[in-house]
């Protein structure tokens, strides 16, 4: 029995000896990384490092450095030269790429993250309307840049209009060849804070278009599972109603006999949060539902036309057709996409109209 126990414990001792130990006090933990163009042939890297002091709020240290585009993968090596302790990426939660870099292509910089085993797949990748450096120097209060930006994106994915996205999803869409990725856009708002400013759309690894904030609800309805969000409607008699969606689901139906025809069915349950008229009668409730359905049809079709004009497929329709139609491939997709006709069939149900009833 003793021999068996010795045999069991020896591998454990060997395994623990192979682990690389990092003591928190001996390393600088990067929580946010940013990338900007400097001129035409250089890239500027910026990182945020939390500084912990006893009985004091967490402060942030910012380290920045510039290197040539050819060695942009080694930007961390250049930043190491300015850090008092080794820089590590294990706790990074946000990466910000300036709009200029996003339009040139993100493959090289994102590849650096996905090949680092210490970087989690749930890191939020974002595009900066201004330079990443200036966004990282905004005011974030006691929470710091990483927590503030990560919570901002997470909240808008779970409870508002932002579709789900992170490093894992971006990499999957980037290399899938039958869908195109998208990323949230950040910008500086009032009082030097940071806010969301729409969704960047990519063709491969290059940003080619975008969706503004007010249109995101329609993209999320046809692209993703939706939870909460509020949309303002104008009714036939010019009354205004704010409808909050509490649940939605979408289903895409393929016509196997004619792949140029597609149907997207969207079901929505919502409640009325605000209404500028009087009592909400069953007739008015029906008008609200029809008005919302009309908006979904018009706005969704406009988005799909935008995708066709820029030859991108953020909805992953090509992947869907390839999985449903035997022999359908890239060649067939290129032929039918310009002619693709998408019918939007929304079904809106308002379940509550407020205590005024």
């Amino acid at each position: 029995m003793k021999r068996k126990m010795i045999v069991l414990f020896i591998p454990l001792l060997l395994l623990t000896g192979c682990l690389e130990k990092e003591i928190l006090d001996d390393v600088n933990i990067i929580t946010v990384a940013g990338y900007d163009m400097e001129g035409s042939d250089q890239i500027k890297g910026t990182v945020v490092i939390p500084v912990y002091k006893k009985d004091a709020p967490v402060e942030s240290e910012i380290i920045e450095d510039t290197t040539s585009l050819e060695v942009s993968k080694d930007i961390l090596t250049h930043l190491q030269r300015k850090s008092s302790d080794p820089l590590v990426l294990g706790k990074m939660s946000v990466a910000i790429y300036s709009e200029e870099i996003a339009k040139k292509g993100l493959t090289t910089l994102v590849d650096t993250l996905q090949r680092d085993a210490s970087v989690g797949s749930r890191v939020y990748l974002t595009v900066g309307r201004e330079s990443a450096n200036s966004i990282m120097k905004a005011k974030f209060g006691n929470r710091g840049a990483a927590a503030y930006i990560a919570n901002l994106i997470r909240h808008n994915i779970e409870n508002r209009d932002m579709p789900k996205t992170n490093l894992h999803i971006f990499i999957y869409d980037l290399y899938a060849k039958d869908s195109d990725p998208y990323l949230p856009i950040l910008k500086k708002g009032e009082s030097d804070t940071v806010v969301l400013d729409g969704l960047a759309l990519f063709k491969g690894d290059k940003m080619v278009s975008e969706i503004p904030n007010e249109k995101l609800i329609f993209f999320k309805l046809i692209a993703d599972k939706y939870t909460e969000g509020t949309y303002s409607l104008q009714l036939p008699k010019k009354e205004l109603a704010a409808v909050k969606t509490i649940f939605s689901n979408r289903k895409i139906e393929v016509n196997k006999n004619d792949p140029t025809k597609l149907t997207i069915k969207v079901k929505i349950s919502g409640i009325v949060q605000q209404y500028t008229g009087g009592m909400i009668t069953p007739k008015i409730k029906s008008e609200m539902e029809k008005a919302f359905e009309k908006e979904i049809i018009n706005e969704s079709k406009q988005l799909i036309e935008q995708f066709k004009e820029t030859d991108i497929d953020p909805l992953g329709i090509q992947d869907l057709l390839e999985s449903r139609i035997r022999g359908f491939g890239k060649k067939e997709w290129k032929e039918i996409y310009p002619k693709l006709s998408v019918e939007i069939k929304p079904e809106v149900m308002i379940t509550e109209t407020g205590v005024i009833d």
Side-chain angles (χ1 to χ4, degrees):
M1 190 70 175
K2 288 182 180 178
R3 287 180 183 173
K4 289 182 180 178
M5 294 202 49
I6 291 171
V7 171
L8 286 170
F9 279 116
I10 286 175
L12 291 176
L13 291 170
L14 290 172
L15 284 172
T16 55
C18 294
L19 295 175
E20 185 178 347
K21 296 178 181 178
E22 288 180 340
I23 301 171
L24 289 179
D25 290 339
D26 296 336
V27 295
N28 281 332
I29 302 170
I30 296 173
T31 56
V32 183
Y35 305 89
D36 296 297
M37 288 299 300
E38 285 277 293
S40 60
D41 60 352
Q42 288 192 313
I43 189 167
K44 182 176 187 176
T46 308
V47 295
V48 173
I49 299 162
V51 179
Y52 301 96
K53 295 181 180 180
K54 188 177 180 180
D55 300 326
V58 178
E59 298 179 358
S60 294
E61 178 184 353
I62 293 179
I63 302 175
E64 53 193 71
D65 199 10
T66 303
T67 186
S68 66
L69 277 174
E70 287 75 15
V71 292
S72 57
K73 276 192 173 185
D74 297 324
I75 187 66
L76 187 61
T77 303
H78 287 258
L79 290 167
Q80 296 278 14
R81 297 169 186 164
K82 293 189 175 183
S83 175
S84 58
D85 291 304
L87 294 171
V88 294
L89 293 168
K91 292 292 183 181
M92 192 173 84
S93 57
V94 178
I96 307 171
Y97 305 95
S98 70
E99 192 171 347
E100 187 178 5
I101 281 186
K103 289 178 178 179
K104 285 182 176 292
L106 298 183
T107 296
T108 301
L109 294 171
V110 173
D111 185 68
T112 304
L113 295 182
Q114 70 151 337
R115 293 186 185 280
D116 191 322
S118 68
V119 177
S121 62
R122 295 182 180 180
V123 171
Y124 290 121
L125 307 184
T126 65
V127 173
R129 186 71 75 192
E130 297 92 357
S131 70
N133 184 276
S134 67
I135 289 174
M136 293 163 73
K137 292 178 180 178
K139 295 178 181 177
F140 300 104
N142 294 330
R143 286 185 289 178
Y148 183 98
I149 298 174
N151 288 341
L152 174 70
I153 298 171
R154 186 182 304 110
H155 152 66
N156 278 273
I157 289 174
E158 294 176 353
N159 304 306
R160 298 294 299 175
D161 307 327
M162 186 63 61
K164 189 175 182 181
T165 177
N166 55 37
L167 173 61
H168 173 75
I169 294 172
F170 183 86
I171 291 295
Y172 176 84
D173 288 338
L174 181 61
Y175 293 113
K177 302 301 181 186
D178 48 19
S179 60
D180 290 298
Y182 42 81
L183 294 176
I185 300 173
L186 301 176
K187 77 167 185 177
K188 278 191 174 182
E190 296 179 1
S191 303
D192 204 28
T193 57
V194 172
V195 298
L196 290 172
D197 193 36
L199 192 72
L201 303 174
F202 287 76
K203 182 176 177 60
D205 72 331
K206 295 179 175 62
M207 178 181 170
V208 294
S209 188
E210 62 182 84
I211 302 174
N213 281 334
E214 61 270 19
K215 308 290 185 181
L216 280 179
I217 181 173
F218 303 106
F219 178 71
K220 191 165 183 178
L221 284 172
I222 60 176
D224 197 0
K225 184 182 75 172
Y226 197 82
T227 50
E228 296 181 22
T230 302
Y231 189 73
S232 295
L233 300 169
Q234 187 170 40
L235 302 184
K237 294 183 179 180
K238 306 302 180 183
E239 310 99 322
L240 295 177
V243 178
K244 179 180 180 181
T245 63
I246 55 176
F247 170 81
S248 80
N249 190 26
R250 74 103 165 92
K251 180 181 179 182
I252 300 180
E253 294 182 351
V254 174
N255 186 332
K256 294 184 178 180
N257 296 321
D258 186 358
T260 64
K261 294 180 179 179
L262 205 68
T263 302
I264 301 179
K265 293 183 176 180
V266 180
K267 287 188 176 182
I268 303 171
S269 295
I271 61 176
V272 178
Q273 282 196 317
Q274 187 177 359
Y275 176 58
T276 59
M279 182 176 289
I280 300 176
T281 63
K283 180 183 177 182
I284 293 174
K285 175 174 167 288
S286 177
E287 287 177 353
M288 290 180 183
E289 292 171 340
K290 285 182 170 59
F292 201 0
E293 289 173 353
K294 185 178 179 181
E295 286 287 290
I296 292 170
I297 292 171
N298 292 337
E299 296 291 346
S300 299
K301 284 190 172 183
Q302 286 181 27
L303 285 175
I304 291 169
E305 287 304 312
Q306 176 185 343
F307 304 154
K308 289 166 66 177
E309 287 173 8
T310 47
D311 193 26
I312 58 175
D313 181 25
L315 299 178
I317 296 174
Q318 180 185 351
D319 182 39
L320 184 71
L321 292 175
E322 289 177 353
S323 65
R324 301 278 182 87
I325 302 175
R326 186 186 298 273
F328 191 94
K330 187 175 181 180
K331 179 183 176 182
E332 288 74 17
W333 170 250
K334 284 188 173 182
E335 290 175 356
I336 71 108
Y337 193 37
K339 301 178 287 185
L340 186 67
S341 173
V342 181
E343 183 180 8
I344 310 294
K345 287 187 175 181
E347 182 181 331
V348 176
M349 181 183 296
I350 295 177
T351 56
E352 294 181 29
T353 53
V355 294
I356 195 170
D357 289 347

mmCIF file of all heavy atoms in Angstrom, residues 30 32-38 42-48 62-68 72 74-76 78-80 82 87 96-97 101 109 132-133 136-137:
data_model
loop_
_atom_site.group_PDB
_atom_site.id
_atom_site.type_symbol
_atom_site.label_atom_id
_atom_site.label_comp_id
_atom_site.label_asym_id
_atom_site.label_seq_id
_atom_site.Cartn_x
_atom_site.Cartn_y
_atom_site.Cartn_z
ATOM 1 N N ILE A 30 -1.518 43.552 -16.872
ATOM 2 C CA ILE A 30 -2.206 44.376 -17.872
ATOM 3 C C ILE A 30 -3.695 44.052 -17.839
ATOM 4 O O ILE A 30 -4.096 42.897 -17.948
ATOM 5 C CB ILE A 30 -1.644 44.103 -19.276
ATOM 6 C CG1 ILE A 30 -0.172 44.533 -19.352
ATOM 7 C CG2 ILE A 30 -2.461 44.837 -20.340
ATOM 8 C CD1 ILE A 30 0.509 44.135 -20.650
ATOM 9 N N VAL A 32 -6.030 46.457 -19.566
ATOM 10 C CA VAL A 32 -6.525 47.015 -20.838
ATOM 11 C C VAL A 32 -5.321 47.279 -21.734
ATOM 12 O O VAL A 32 -4.299 47.790 -21.271
ATOM 13 C CB VAL A 32 -7.295 48.332 -20.631
ATOM 14 C CG1 VAL A 32 -7.857 48.830 -21.963
ATOM 15 C CG2 VAL A 32 -8.423 48.174 -19.621
ATOM 16 N N ALA A 33 -5.455 46.922 -23.013
ATOM 17 C CA ALA A 33 -4.406 47.207 -23.992
ATOM 18 C C ALA A 33 -5.005 47.992 -25.147
ATOM 19 O O ALA A 33 -6.140 47.726 -25.566
ATOM 20 C CB ALA A 33 -3.763 45.917 -24.501
ATOM 21 N N GLY A 34 -4.249 48.971 -25.650
ATOM 22 C CA GLY A 34 -4.738 49.781 -26.764
ATOM 23 C C GLY A 34 -3.695 49.914 -27.856
ATOM 24 O O GLY A 34 -2.491 49.871 -27.593
ATOM 25 N N TYR A 35 -4.165 50.087 -29.098
ATOM 26 C CA TYR A 35 -3.271 50.146 -30.255
ATOM 27 C C TYR A 35 -3.694 51.288 -31.176
ATOM 28 O O TYR A 35 -4.871 51.403 -31.554
ATOM 29 C CB TYR A 35 -3.298 48.819 -31.022
ATOM 30 C CG TYR A 35 -2.988 47.624 -30.162
ATOM 31 C CD1 TYR A 35 -4.012 46.957 -29.480
ATOM 32 C CD2 TYR A 35 -1.678 47.154 -30.012
ATOM 33 C CE1 TYR A 35 -3.728 45.858 -28.673
ATOM 34 C CE2 TYR A 35 -1.399 46.059 -29.207
ATOM 35 C CZ TYR A 35 -2.421 45.417 -28.542
ATOM 36 O OH TYR A 35 -2.143 44.339 -27.738
ATOM 37 N N ASP A 36 -2.719 52.127 -31.550
ATOM 38 C CA ASP A 36 -2.974 53.273 -32.429
ATOM 39 C C ASP A 36 -1.902 53.349 -33.513
ATOM 40 O O ASP A 36 -0.779 52.886 -33.324
ATOM 41 C CB ASP A 36 -2.932 54.585 -31.632
ATOM 42 C CG ASP A 36 -4.023 54.674 -30.584
ATOM 43 O OD1 ASP A 36 -5.199 54.674 -30.966
ATOM 44 O OD2 ASP A 36 -3.690 54.738 -29.378
ATOM 45 N N MET A 37 -2.257 53.988 -34.637
ATOM 46 C CA MET A 37 -1.280 54.279 -35.674
ATOM 47 C C MET A 37 -0.503 55.532 -35.298
ATOM 48 O O MET A 37 -1.072 56.489 -34.778
ATOM 49 C CB MET A 37 -1.968 54.488 -37.020
ATOM 50 C CG MET A 37 -2.531 53.230 -37.662
ATOM 51 S SD MET A 37 -1.272 51.989 -38.024
ATOM 52 C CE MET A 37 -0.190 52.893 -39.138
ATOM 53 N N GLU A 38 0.808 55.503 -35.535
ATOM 54 C CA GLU A 38 1.667 56.676 -35.370
ATOM 55 C C GLU A 38 2.300 56.943 -36.717
ATOM 56 O O GLU A 38 3.218 56.241 -37.135
ATOM 57 C CB GLU A 38 2.749 56.414 -34.320
ATOM 58 C CG GLU A 38 2.230 56.433 -32.886
ATOM 59 C CD GLU A 38 2.128 57.849 -32.333
ATOM 60 O OE1 GLU A 38 3.162 58.501 -32.136
ATOM 61 O OE2 GLU A 38 0.996 58.313 -32.104
ATOM 62 N N GLN A 42 4.157 53.237 -38.170
ATOM 63 C CA GLN A 42 4.431 52.865 -36.786
ATOM 64 C C GLN A 42 3.143 52.640 -36.015
ATOM 65 O O GLN A 42 2.096 53.187 -36.368
ATOM 66 C CB GLN A 42 5.273 53.939 -36.087
ATOM 67 C CG GLN A 42 6.719 53.984 -36.570
ATOM 68 C CD GLN A 42 7.580 54.844 -35.660
ATOM 69 O OE1 GLN A 42 7.205 55.944 -35.295
ATOM 70 N NE2 GLN A 42 8.749 54.330 -35.296
ATOM 71 N N ILE A 43 3.249 51.848 -34.985
ATOM 72 C CA ILE A 43 2.096 51.546 -34.154
ATOM 73 C C ILE A 43 2.434 51.856 -32.698
ATOM 74 O O ILE A 43 3.541 51.590 -32.232
ATOM 75 C CB ILE A 43 1.674 50.064 -34.307
ATOM 76 C CG1 ILE A 43 0.347 49.811 -33.609
ATOM 77 C CG2 ILE A 43 2.715 49.099 -33.800
ATOM 78 C CD1 ILE A 43 -0.270 48.485 -33.973
ATOM 79 N N LYS A 44 1.479 52.468 -32.010
ATOM 80 C CA LYS A 44 1.672 52.835 -30.613
ATOM 81 C C LYS A 44 0.855 51.907 -29.729
ATOM 82 O O LYS A 44 -0.348 51.763 -29.914
ATOM 83 C CB LYS A 44 1.230 54.286 -30.380
ATOM 84 C CG LYS A 44 1.438 54.781 -28.954
ATOM 85 C CD LYS A 44 1.057 56.263 -28.861
ATOM 86 C CE LYS A 44 1.408 56.836 -27.504
ATOM 87 N NZ LYS A 44 1.122 58.277 -27.440
ATOM 88 N N GLY A 45 1.521 51.275 -28.789
ATOM 89 C CA GLY A 45 0.853 50.400 -27.841
ATOM 90 C C GLY A 45 0.736 51.065 -26.484
ATOM 91 O O GLY A 45 1.675 51.717 -26.019
ATOM 92 N N THR A 46 -0.423 50.931 -25.855
ATOM 93 C CA THR A 46 -0.666 51.504 -24.536
ATOM 94 C C THR A 46 -1.301 50.439 -23.653
ATOM 95 O O THR A 46 -2.205 49.728 -24.108
ATOM 96 C CB THR A 46 -1.611 52.720 -24.614
ATOM 97 O OG1 THR A 46 -1.131 53.645 -25.586
ATOM 98 C CG2 THR A 46 -1.726 53.413 -23.267
ATOM 99 N N VAL A 47 -0.835 50.311 -22.418
ATOM 100 C CA VAL A 47 -1.430 49.346 -21.492
ATOM 101 C C VAL A 47 -1.758 50.030 -20.174
ATOM 102 O O VAL A 47 -1.099 50.986 -19.764
ATOM 103 C CB VAL A 47 -0.501 48.130 -21.236
ATOM 104 C CG1 VAL A 47 -0.317 47.316 -22.509
ATOM 105 C CG2 VAL A 47 0.839 48.565 -20.673
ATOM 106 N N VAL A 48 -2.810 49.539 -19.524
ATOM 107 C CA VAL A 48 -3.211 50.029 -18.212
ATOM 108 C C VAL A 48 -2.889 48.953 -17.180
ATOM 109 O O VAL A 48 -3.223 47.776 -17.370
ATOM 110 C CB VAL A 48 -4.716 50.355 -18.167
ATOM 111 C CG1 VAL A 48 -5.153 50.695 -16.737
ATOM 112 C CG2 VAL A 48 -5.033 51.512 -19.098
ATOM 113 N N ILE A 62 -0.214 53.945 -16.590
ATOM 114 C CA ILE A 62 -0.273 53.783 -18.044
ATOM 115 C C ILE A 62 1.137 53.756 -18.611
ATOM 116 O O ILE A 62 1.954 54.630 -18.328
ATOM 117 C CB ILE A 62 -1.089 54.913 -18.692
ATOM 118 C CG1 ILE A 62 -2.564 54.787 -18.285
ATOM 119 C CG2 ILE A 62 -0.956 54.887 -20.213
ATOM 120 C CD1 ILE A 62 -3.462 55.861 -18.854
ATOM 121 N N ILE A 63 1.410 52.717 -19.401
ATOM 122 C CA ILE A 63 2.704 52.581 -20.074
ATOM 123 C C ILE A 63 2.449 52.576 -21.573
ATOM 124 O O ILE A 63 1.539 51.894 -22.055
ATOM 125 C CB ILE A 63 3.426 51.286 -19.652
ATOM 126 C CG1 ILE A 63 3.644 51.261 -18.136
ATOM 127 C CG2 ILE A 63 4.756 51.147 -20.375
ATOM 128 C CD1 ILE A 63 4.254 49.957 -17.631
ATOM 129 N N GLU A 64 3.228 53.320 -22.321
ATOM 130 C CA GLU A 64 3.040 53.392 -23.774
ATOM 131 C C GLU A 64 4.384 53.392 -24.487
ATOM 132 O O GLU A 64 5.390 53.850 -23.949
ATOM 133 C CB GLU A 64 2.223 54.630 -24.144
ATOM 134 C CG GLU A 64 2.781 55.928 -23.574
ATOM 135 C CD GLU A 64 1.795 57.075 -23.681
ATOM 136 O OE1 GLU A 64 0.794 57.059 -22.938
ATOM 137 O OE2 GLU A 64 2.053 57.976 -24.504
ATOM 138 N N ASP A 65 4.384 52.871 -25.710
ATOM 139 C CA ASP A 65 5.601 52.849 -26.510
ATOM 140 C C ASP A 65 5.215 52.682 -27.980
ATOM 141 O O ASP A 65 4.106 52.255 -28.304
ATOM 142 C CB ASP A 65 6.526 51.710 -26.072
ATOM 143 C CG ASP A 65 7.967 51.928 -26.553
ATOM 144 O OD1 ASP A 65 8.260 53.033 -27.041
ATOM 145 O OD2 ASP A 65 8.778 50.996 -26.436
ATOM 146 N N THR A 66 6.143 52.997 -28.863
ATOM 147 C CA THR A 66 5.889 52.957 -30.301
ATOM 148 C C THR A 66 6.894 52.043 -30.981
ATOM 149 O O THR A 66 8.076 52.017 -30.626
ATOM 150 C CB THR A 66 5.990 54.375 -30.912
ATOM 151 O OG1 THR A 66 5.066 55.225 -30.238
ATOM 152 C CG2 THR A 66 5.653 54.363 -32.395
ATOM 153 N N THR A 67 6.416 51.285 -31.976
ATOM 154 C CA THR A 67 7.302 50.418 -32.754
ATOM 155 C C THR A 67 6.833 50.414 -34.199
ATOM 156 O O THR A 67 5.751 50.919 -34.515
ATOM 157 C CB THR A 67 7.296 48.984 -32.186
ATOM 158 O OG1 THR A 67 8.270 48.198 -32.878
ATOM 159 C CG2 THR A 67 5.939 48.329 -32.345
ATOM 160 N N SER A 68 7.604 49.834 -35.085
ATOM 161 C CA SER A 68 7.241 49.809 -36.507
ATOM 162 C C SER A 68 6.158 48.759 -36.751
ATOM 163 O O SER A 68 5.998 47.811 -35.986
ATOM 164 C CB SER A 68 8.464 49.488 -37.370
ATOM 165 O OG SER A 68 8.921 48.173 -37.113
ATOM 166 N N SER A 72 4.955 44.765 -35.075
ATOM 167 C CA SER A 72 3.852 45.113 -34.182
ATOM 168 C C SER A 72 3.486 43.971 -33.235
ATOM 169 O O SER A 72 2.956 44.194 -32.157
ATOM 170 C CB SER A 72 2.623 45.524 -35.001
ATOM 171 O OG SER A 72 2.241 44.483 -35.888
ATOM 172 N N ASP A 74 5.487 42.374 -31.571
ATOM 173 C CA ASP A 74 6.405 42.448 -30.431
ATOM 174 C C ASP A 74 6.234 43.727 -29.630
ATOM 175 O O ASP A 74 7.135 44.150 -28.921
ATOM 176 C CB ASP A 74 7.855 42.352 -30.925
ATOM 177 C CG ASP A 74 8.144 41.026 -31.604
ATOM 178 O OD1 ASP A 74 7.595 40.009 -31.151
ATOM 179 O OD2 ASP A 74 8.902 41.026 -32.580
ATOM 180 N N ILE A 75 5.058 44.366 -29.747
ATOM 181 C CA ILE A 75 4.840 45.611 -29.018
ATOM 182 C C ILE A 75 4.976 45.401 -27.513
ATOM 183 O O ILE A 75 5.456 46.270 -26.785
ATOM 184 C CB ILE A 75 3.459 46.211 -29.365
ATOM 185 C CG1 ILE A 75 3.291 47.599 -28.752
ATOM 186 C CG2 ILE A 75 2.328 45.290 -28.945
ATOM 187 C CD1 ILE A 75 4.206 48.640 -29.316
ATOM 188 N N LEU A 76 4.575 44.219 -27.024
ATOM 189 C CA LEU A 76 4.691 43.944 -25.588
ATOM 190 C C LEU A 76 6.153 43.926 -25.162
ATOM 191 O O LEU A 76 6.502 44.390 -24.063
ATOM 192 C CB LEU A 76 4.027 42.602 -25.246
ATOM 193 C CG LEU A 76 3.931 42.257 -23.753
ATOM 194 C CD1 LEU A 76 3.099 43.296 -23.020
ATOM 195 C CD2 LEU A 76 3.342 40.874 -23.557
ATOM 196 N N HIS A 78 8.532 45.727 -26.400
ATOM 197 C CA HIS A 78 8.952 47.126 -26.292
ATOM 198 C C HIS A 78 8.412 47.759 -25.011
ATOM 199 O O HIS A 78 9.104 48.534 -24.353
ATOM 200 C CB HIS A 78 8.474 47.907 -27.517
ATOM 201 C CG HIS A 78 9.240 47.591 -28.767
ATOM 202 N ND1 HIS A 78 10.217 48.420 -29.275
ATOM 203 C CD2 HIS A 78 9.190 46.519 -29.605
ATOM 204 C CE1 HIS A 78 10.721 47.890 -30.373
ATOM 205 N NE2 HIS A 78 10.107 46.734 -30.597
ATOM 206 N N LEU A 79 7.172 47.416 -24.654
ATOM 207 C CA LEU A 79 6.587 47.974 -23.434
ATOM 208 C C LEU A 79 7.292 47.451 -22.184
ATOM 209 O O LEU A 79 7.369 48.153 -21.175
ATOM 210 C CB LEU A 79 5.089 47.637 -23.375
ATOM 211 C CG LEU A 79 4.205 48.368 -24.399
ATOM 212 C CD1 LEU A 79 2.826 47.730 -24.457
ATOM 213 C CD2 LEU A 79 4.067 49.837 -24.040
ATOM 214 N N GLN A 80 7.818 46.219 -22.264
ATOM 215 C CA GLN A 80 8.521 45.638 -21.112
ATOM 216 C C GLN A 80 9.700 46.516 -20.682
ATOM 217 O O GLN A 80 10.029 46.595 -19.500
ATOM 218 C CB GLN A 80 9.052 44.230 -21.453
ATOM 219 C CG GLN A 80 7.984 43.188 -21.743
ATOM 220 C CD GLN A 80 7.383 42.565 -20.486
ATOM 221 O OE1 GLN A 80 7.565 43.066 -19.389
ATOM 222 N NE2 GLN A 80 6.652 41.478 -20.682
ATOM 223 N N LYS A 82 9.852 49.558 -20.430
ATOM 224 C CA LYS A 82 9.445 50.717 -19.646
ATOM 225 C C LYS A 82 8.732 50.318 -18.349
ATOM 226 O O LYS A 82 8.221 51.177 -17.635
ATOM 227 C CB LYS A 82 8.527 51.614 -20.483
ATOM 228 C CG LYS A 82 9.217 52.267 -21.667
ATOM 229 C CD LYS A 82 8.313 53.295 -22.319
ATOM 230 C CE LYS A 82 9.055 54.043 -23.424
ATOM 231 N NZ LYS A 82 8.215 55.095 -24.036
ATOM 232 N N LEU A 87 5.566 42.463 -17.490
ATOM 233 C CA LEU A 87 4.173 42.664 -17.871
ATOM 234 C C LEU A 87 3.531 41.323 -18.219
ATOM 235 O O LEU A 87 4.116 40.529 -18.972
ATOM 236 C CB LEU A 87 4.081 43.595 -19.082
ATOM 237 C CG LEU A 87 4.540 45.045 -18.871
ATOM 238 C CD1 LEU A 87 4.595 45.764 -20.218
ATOM 239 C CD2 LEU A 87 3.617 45.770 -17.919
ATOM 240 N N ILE A 96 -8.458 47.680 -27.136
ATOM 241 C CA ILE A 96 -9.023 48.769 -27.931
ATOM 242 C C ILE A 96 -8.135 49.022 -29.148
ATOM 243 O O ILE A 96 -6.930 49.240 -29.003
ATOM 244 C CB ILE A 96 -9.137 50.068 -27.110
ATOM 245 C CG1 ILE A 96 -9.899 49.818 -25.801
ATOM 246 C CG2 ILE A 96 -9.833 51.159 -27.922
ATOM 247 C CD1 ILE A 96 -9.864 51.009 -24.843
ATOM 248 N N TYR A 97 -8.735 48.986 -30.345
ATOM 249 C CA TYR A 97 -8.007 49.257 -31.583
ATOM 250 C C TYR A 97 -8.584 50.535 -32.191
ATOM 251 O O TYR A 97 -9.800 50.650 -32.362
ATOM 252 C CB TYR A 97 -8.150 48.091 -32.563
ATOM 253 C CG TYR A 97 -7.727 46.767 -31.970
ATOM 254 C CD1 TYR A 97 -8.664 45.905 -31.394
ATOM 255 C CD2 TYR A 97 -6.392 46.382 -31.961
ATOM 256 C CE1 TYR A 97 -8.282 44.705 -30.829
ATOM 257 C CE2 TYR A 97 -6.007 45.175 -31.404
ATOM 258 C CZ TYR A 97 -6.953 44.349 -30.833
ATOM 259 O OH TYR A 97 -6.576 43.159 -30.267
ATOM 260 N N ILE A 101 -6.577 51.758 -37.302
ATOM 261 C CA ILE A 101 -5.992 50.418 -37.327
ATOM 262 C C ILE A 101 -7.029 49.391 -37.762
ATOM 263 O O ILE A 101 -6.729 48.468 -38.539
ATOM 264 C CB ILE A 101 -5.420 50.061 -35.942
ATOM 265 C CG1 ILE A 101 -4.066 50.743 -35.764
ATOM 266 C CG2 ILE A 101 -5.266 48.552 -35.761
ATOM 267 C CD1 ILE A 101 -3.338 50.367 -34.501
ATOM 268 N N LEU A 109 -2.519 41.808 -34.845
ATOM 269 C CA LEU A 109 -2.619 42.183 -33.432
ATOM 270 C C LEU A 109 -3.504 41.220 -32.647
ATOM 271 O O LEU A 109 -3.202 40.876 -31.505
ATOM 272 C CB LEU A 109 -3.158 43.612 -33.324
ATOM 273 C CG LEU A 109 -2.230 44.696 -33.885
ATOM 274 C CD1 LEU A 109 -2.945 46.029 -33.941
ATOM 275 C CD2 LEU A 109 -0.961 44.806 -33.052
ATOM 276 N N ALA A 132 -7.040 54.970 -29.163
ATOM 277 C CA ALA A 132 -7.161 54.090 -27.998
ATOM 278 C C ALA A 132 -6.480 54.714 -26.793
ATOM 279 O O ALA A 132 -6.961 54.623 -25.658
ATOM 280 C CB ALA A 132 -6.543 52.725 -28.315
ATOM 281 N N ASN A 133 -5.367 55.388 -27.032
ATOM 282 C CA ASN A 133 -4.611 56.018 -25.962
ATOM 283 C C ASN A 133 -5.451 57.051 -25.228
ATOM 284 O O ASN A 133 -5.473 57.099 -23.990
ATOM 285 C CB ASN A 133 -3.353 56.667 -26.543
ATOM 286 C CG ASN A 133 -2.459 57.275 -25.474
ATOM 287 O OD1 ASN A 133 -2.680 58.398 -25.047
ATOM 288 N ND2 ASN A 133 -1.437 56.539 -25.060
ATOM 289 N N MET A 136 -8.241 55.404 -23.145
ATOM 290 C CA MET A 136 -7.724 54.764 -21.937
ATOM 291 C C MET A 136 -7.358 55.776 -20.850
ATOM 292 O O MET A 136 -7.193 55.419 -19.690
ATOM 293 C CB MET A 136 -6.513 53.898 -22.299
ATOM 294 C CG MET A 136 -6.894 52.706 -23.172
ATOM 295 S SD MET A 136 -5.492 51.945 -24.027
ATOM 296 C CE MET A 136 -4.681 51.127 -22.686
ATOM 297 N N LYS A 137 -7.253 57.057 -21.235
ATOM 298 C CA LYS A 137 -6.929 58.099 -20.265
ATOM 299 C C LYS A 137 -8.173 58.885 -19.835
ATOM 300 O O LYS A 137 -8.065 59.939 -19.219
ATOM 301 C CB LYS A 137 -5.889 59.054 -20.853
ATOM 302 C CG LYS A 137 -4.528 58.396 -21.045
ATOM 303 C CD LYS A 137 -3.521 59.352 -21.689
ATOM 304 C CE LYS A 137 -2.164 58.680 -21.866
ATOM 305 N NZ LYS A 137 -1.176 59.569 -22.539
#
